[in-house]
Amino acid sequence: MIITKLKDIDEIYNMIEPYSKILIVGCDGCCQPPRSLNEAKTLGQMLELKAKMNGKDLKYKAITCLRQCDDRIAGSTIKPHIEDYEAILSLACGIGPATLNRIFDDILTFPAQNSMFNGAESHGDNRYEEYCDCCGDCLLGVTGGICPVATCAKGLHNGPCGGQVEGKCEVGGYKYPCAWILIYERLKKFNRLDLFTKYRPPIDYRNMESPGHLTLLEEYTNEEEEVEE
Amino acid sequence: MRKRPAFSQLCKAIKEGKFVFTGELEPKKILDLSEILHSAEEMKKTKKIIAANVTDGPQGDAYMSSLVPSYMVQEKVGLEAVWQMTVRDRNRVALFGDVIAGAVMGLKNILTLTGDHTALGDHKKGKAVYDLDSTQFCEMLTKMIDEGTDYEGNELVGGKIEINFGCVANPNALPPYLEPEILKVGRKVEVGVDFIQTQTAFDIDVAKNFLKELERYPVPVLLGVFPLKSYGIAWYFDKYIPGVSVPKDLLGALKKAEKDNKGDKKGKYAALDKINIEFFDPFIKEIKKTTKAAGIHCMAVEYERLFMPLLGDYEDLI
């Protein structure tokens, strides 16, 4: 999932302040914590209240979309609603507003969220942890399934570093575990310290460069679907 | 040591079997190198310190780059520098560029470090680089030194660089964290380090055990010690330096010495020096006598007056 954090309400309000009618669109995709219809409605109420406090009348409509990052789904779901509105406020990760701005050329879409990282809820206590940094050269097979790129504060491939103290990381005040100690413990458990001791050369950072483009090989594309279109 | 030649005075002395001492200099937010050069001068005068480490933004703070002070210490004072280079602030292109610049400036030792994260320093919002990690940087140096190429194998015009390089290790690691620390050092040995300088040690038994573990690698080790110039420095070190804790009785003694000699600078210095000598003199002697350590990295930053009382009995190195 893409872990997101709602922007400060003042920042959101300042973005939509020039408009009096906005469409607020939730996303039912992988964005976490959930930002669906309820969250869109709540945000609308907050902005309406804030507008009133500023002597302004803000009209809004809250809807949601299965996946804002899918241009076909987003297009068919949102298009019927946009005609009466001056701007769109997206509650998806950054991919949502980027996609909506691309497919709806005549209206501006603003982001209500900050995208934080790719991760998962691991403890059931509102805590989310980063698991993947999209490095394009997955190391999980040699690190016991723990990603040093995403979980080591320095993204080291040959850790731990000197900032590890009793299994904790210097970044964050020794509160979080050192990824490389976790990797060591996991590989030791499976008697695979051979993987730990092995030197790992640097990764190819071209795989992480922006803008990312990936064209699927012809043999993997769904030709039937393309023909139908 | 590897088959690589000893290019530096430090590595030559180690190869000759001498028990060596290195010192430490810390360029901070300065526009004037006079204090650094003065410290280096004082180290040189002792004849016991063969080279001085020049730090590279410790604790992630934005300080003067270590390249120029390293060069100036060699050029103006005639004391060899151990140029500390972290991989925190430079990608592989910048690291390569700086290393060849340093080689041209006559620097002979590099100490490779990961570097404390920017989140710990005074520019917390900055982007930490870590394009290469310190082990990968070691591999890059090996290519530059042994093969005369950059990381990608492109030839260096003029041949190979003549530099020896080391890595660091934490002698305070206790089980279950000892094994990953030792294995990590092993990777660096595999990619060609010439020497190891450790983080500071205060517990003699822990340090001796660590040195014993490192004996499996054919690389000389300089154990780090940190004479404590003041209670404030000891307190800071204890609180903020990753993995280091100053013994409580030593902290207490320093605090008492400062309190008992309030207003008497001379008396305070004498009391502090006495505490340090009583602690570190037997410590160093035991390390020399009972371990295979190649020497001591004495991180007595701006505490040069302790060198002769502490190291006076050892043979001259320069």
Side-chain angles (χ1 to χ4, degrees), chain B residues 112-131:
Chain B
T112 60
L113 300 111
T114 306
D116 298 318
H117 200 283
T118 43
L120 275 63
D122 56 9
H123 285 65
K124 296 186 196 305
K125 294 174 188 169
K127 180 173 171 26
V129 178
Y130 303 116
D131 171 27

Side-chain angles (χ1 to χ4, degrees), chain B residues 26-255:
Chain B
E26 193 174 302
K28 295 187 176 176
K29 283 187 206 299
I30 49 169
L31 288 172
D32 174 4
L33 282 172
S34 56
E35 279 185 26
I36 295 284
L37 297 177
H38 172 74
S39 289
E41 199 70 65
E42 292 298 308
M43 283 183 203
K44 192 188 170 196
K45 267 190 222 164
T46 68
K47 299 187 175 178
K48 312 293 177 188
I49 313 277
I50 194 162
N53 284 45
V54 182
T55 58
D56 181 20
Q59 283 95 63
D61 286 334
Y63 288 160
M64 180 187 276
S65 154
S66 51
L67 173 59
V68 168
S70 296
Y71 166 72
M72 294 291 269
V73 164
Q74 291 198 169
E75 187 69 13
K76 299 267 183 195
V77 179
L79 181 69
E80 192 169 89
V82 179
W83 175 25
Q84 294 195 181
M85 290 184 81
T86 74
V87 296
R88 177 192 55 225
D89 311 316
R90 284 166 285 211
N91 70 0
R92 63 193 84 182
V93 179
L95 285 168
F96 173 81
D98 277 3
V99 170
I100 50 173
V104 167
M105 291 162 108
L107 299 178
K108 294 292 173 194
N109 301 292
I110 290 174
L111 184 70
T112 60
L113 300 111
T114 306
D116 298 318
H117 200 283
T118 43
L120 275 63
D122 56 9
H123 285 65
K124 296 186 196 305
K125 294 174 188 169
K127 180 173 171 26
V129 178
Y130 303 116
D131 171 27
L132 300 183
D133 64 29
S134 58
T135 316
Q136 293 159 348
F137 180 34
C138 288
E139 193 201 16
M140 177 188 190
L141 289 169
T142 288
K143 287 181 186 224
M144 295 175 78
I145 298 163
D146 296 346
E147 296 162 29
T149 71
D150 65 13
Y151 213 133
E152 297 294 331
N154 301 305
E155 216 166 290
L156 259 162
V157 179
K160 302 168 180 177
I161 61 165
E162 297 190 341
I163 281 179
N164 294 114
F165 68 95
C167 69
V168 292
N170 181 8
N172 304 300
L174 291 170
Y177 309 109
L178 177 62
E179 189 180 31
E181 184 68 20
I182 298 292
L183 295 179
K184 171 193 84 177
V185 173
R187 291 192 211 111
K188 297 188 181 190
V189 172
E190 189 189 315
V191 292
V193 296
D194 292 308
F195 60 90
I196 297 165
Q197 283 179 314
T198 81
Q199 179 56 283
T200 185
F202 285 103
D203 187 315
I204 189 88
D205 295 324
V206 172
K208 279 167 72 176
N209 184 50
F210 189 75
L211 290 167
K212 187 89 197 149
E213 291 283 346
L214 287 182
E215 280 178 20
R216 69 178 79 172
Y217 305 127
V219 176
V221 184
L222 278 73
L223 183 73
V225 300
F226 192 94
L228 301 156
K229 193 183 168 188
S230 69
Y231 169 70
I233 287 175
W235 177 85
Y236 181 88
F237 217 70
D238 185 58
K239 194 169 165 65
Y240 292 109
I241 305 298
V244 179
S245 54
V246 180
K248 291 282 166 285
D249 51 346
L250 192 54
L251 270 174
L254 294 166
K255 195 175 184 178

